[in-house]
Amino acid sequence: MTNTEIINRIQQLKKEKNAVILAHYYTRPEVQDIADYLGDSLGLSQEAGKTDADIIVFCGVHFMAETAAIISPHKKVLIPAPSAGCSLAESITGYDLREWKKNNPAGIVVSYVNTTADVKAWTDICCTSANALKVVESLPKDRKLLFVPDKNLGAWICKVTGREMELWNGDCCVHARITTEMILEKSQQYPEADILIHPESLCSHDDRILNLPQAYLYSTAGMIKHALNSSKKQFIIATEIETIHKLQKDNPDKEFIPIDSRTICAQMKKVTLENVLEALEKEQYIVEVSEEIRQKAWIPIDNMLNIKLQ
Ligand code: 13P
Ligand code: SF4
């Protein structure tokens, strides 16, 4: 089958089955192009809660599809590439959190949305990179906080909010490659460019970066908004490389320079046009979360979704 034939069949099945395709900005360009909704972690969670489709085909990694299943229990959530995992989500278990809570009964657990349902079930409030500052600022000042699992995002939040938190020792194997030296070198090469940096990056909490006037720390959706609204013509993009597909589509007259050609999330690339079609044809692979865990995991997500961003 050619790509055009696959896409036509996907469109036809979507209509017949009242399905919707949600995709993260890090998926392959051809997958992004067939999505009904393309977004970052926060946007995708919100969309999963709003859609009136019967089936959600989730083009992303496993924890994201699981989050959609927690938010939309009456919908069938399908993940075309069930082996698509995440180094961050895999760095912590529900058992780890239960142990911490035992030792810190008055503590608050803030979990990045890049976590399994089991971890969310032991979490007090979730956050994404788009709302992390607001979430942490909303918490009582006199309580101890544990932030899991991304130590780089956590350290950035501590720096910006001035709030101390205990940080879990996890990281994203893609963003952890982005160093201060890489940013400084690229900014010398392109002195007119704005530099858009994801806070999961290794360099996100380095003062040399935070004091750089042309550097901005954003979630993926924040970068897209910044590029659209800016009068600048050049941008250095310090996040997963496929984000440039959407940036370039929205801004054909602007130039987007990847920080490094190796900032690729191989897990996100497991989603292909072929397995999206197969997912719709066979209604596979259904994301299952036990009702007991789902009900517990829903609470910190709901707490997060109730925080207003503006
Ligand atoms: P956002 O989608 O919140 O920007 O997070 C990036 C990421 O690494 C998702 O896996
Ligand atoms: Fe996980 Fe990093 Fe890939 Fe996002 S980019 S899915 S955090 S490994």
Side-chain angles (χ1 to χ4, degrees):
M1 258 176 139
T2 64
N3 272 5
T4 314
E5 286 167 337
I6 296 176
I7 292 164
N8 289 342
R9 182 78 184 122
I10 288 173
Q11 301 300 1
Q12 190 190 350
L13 283 169
K14 245 176 43 181
K15 263 199 213 132
E16 278 172 32
K17 300 192 177 203
N18 187 27
V20 70
I21 299 180
L22 308 188
H24 193 274
Y25 291 120
Y26 299 170
T27 53
R28 295 167 184 271
E30 63 273 21
V31 172
Q32 295 187 32
D33 291 345
I34 54 153
D36 297 293
Y37 182 85
L38 181 65
D40 68 354
S41 304
L42 177 61
L44 291 166
S45 301
Q46 289 167 329
E47 199 56 31
K50 276 194 290 196
T51 181
D52 53 13
D54 296 316
I55 295 178
I56 297 175
V57 181
F58 204 107
C59 301
V61 296
H62 195 269
F63 78 81
M64 293 182 173
E66 212 178 41
T67 307
I70 295 165
I71 295 173
S72 293
H74 305 301
K75 306 215 154 75
K76 198 180 260 186
V77 179
L78 304 176
I79 179 159
S83 70
C86 166
S87 64
L88 258 184
E90 283 149 27
S91 72
I92 186 161
T93 65
Y95 173 82
D96 295 327
L97 281 188
R98 284 198 294 280
E99 288 301 296
W100 188 83
K101 283 193 160 213
K102 249 190 242 163
N103 297 327
N104 299 277
I108 296 177
V109 175
V110 185
S111 288
Y112 194 29
V113 79
N114 296 34
T115 42
T116 60
D118 195 28
V119 166
K120 288 187 178 84
W122 295 95
T123 292
D124 295 294
I125 187 163
C126 282
C127 75
T128 73
S129 48
N131 62 16
L133 299 174
K134 289 269 180 231
V135 166
V136 169
E137 278 164 353
S138 76
L139 301 173
K141 302 255 178 307
D142 57 341
R143 303 269 296 276
K144 185 169 174 181
L145 304 183
L146 172 66
F147 185 84
V148 307
D150 189 350
K151 61 180 174 193
N152 293 314
L153 176 67
W156 172 71
I157 298 169
C158 292
K159 263 270 162 74
V160 178
T161 62
R163 184 82 202 250
E164 268 185 43
M165 300 192 288
E166 213 173 286
L167 307 180
W168 194 256
N169 190 21
D171 65 14
C172 157
C173 56
V174 181
H175 292 93
R177 303 175 76 113
I178 304 175
T179 63
T180 300
E181 287 65 35
M182 283 161 78
I183 302 280
L184 297 179
E185 195 185 308
K186 269 279 196 287
S187 69
Q188 273 182 355
Q189 238 178 304
Y190 299 95
E192 296 304 316
D194 275 355
I195 311 159
L196 311 184
I197 304 169
H198 199 285
E200 282 175 24
S201 305
L202 182 65
C203 63
S204 68
H205 41 101
D206 185 332
D207 287 332
R208 289 176 293 166
I209 296 299
L210 294 170
N211 294 330
L212 208 59
Q214 67 275 37
Y216 298 85
L217 277 290
Y218 283 127
S219 75
T220 319
M223 292 183 184
I224 285 157
K225 205 163 148 195
H226 179 101
L228 260 180
N229 296 333
S230 169
S231 56
K232 288 279 184 83
K233 290 290 175 202
Q234 264 186 343
F235 302 85
I236 296 163
I237 303 302
T239 190
E240 213 277 348
I241 203 160
E242 226 76 86
T243 307
I244 293 181
H245 178 66
K246 171 71 175 156
L247 287 164
Q248 200 67 77
K249 229 172 153 178
D250 287 356
N251 307 276
D253 58 330
K254 297 180 183 175
E255 187 186 1
F256 298 95
I257 302 128
I259 189 67
D260 187 86
S261 59
R262 290 162 302 170
T263 45
I264 296 172
C265 179
Q267 300 300 318
M268 290 279 189
K269 308 305 176 229
K270 289 182 175 173
V271 186
T272 62
L273 284 181
E274 285 80 2
N275 58 32
V276 171
L277 175 56
E278 235 190 325
L280 272 164
E281 274 173 339
K282 299 183 183 162
E283 298 193 14
Q284 69 181 23
Y285 296 88
I286 298 175
V287 180
E288 312 269 10
V289 183
S290 78
E291 189 52 21
E292 191 196 341
I293 296 284
R294 194 200 70 76
Q295 282 187 15
K296 286 188 188 155
W298 162 243
I299 297 167
I301 297 174
D302 191 38
N303 288 341
M304 167 184 85
L305 294 175
N306 284 326
I307 299 249
K308 299 272 174 291
L309 276 184
Q310 299 300 328

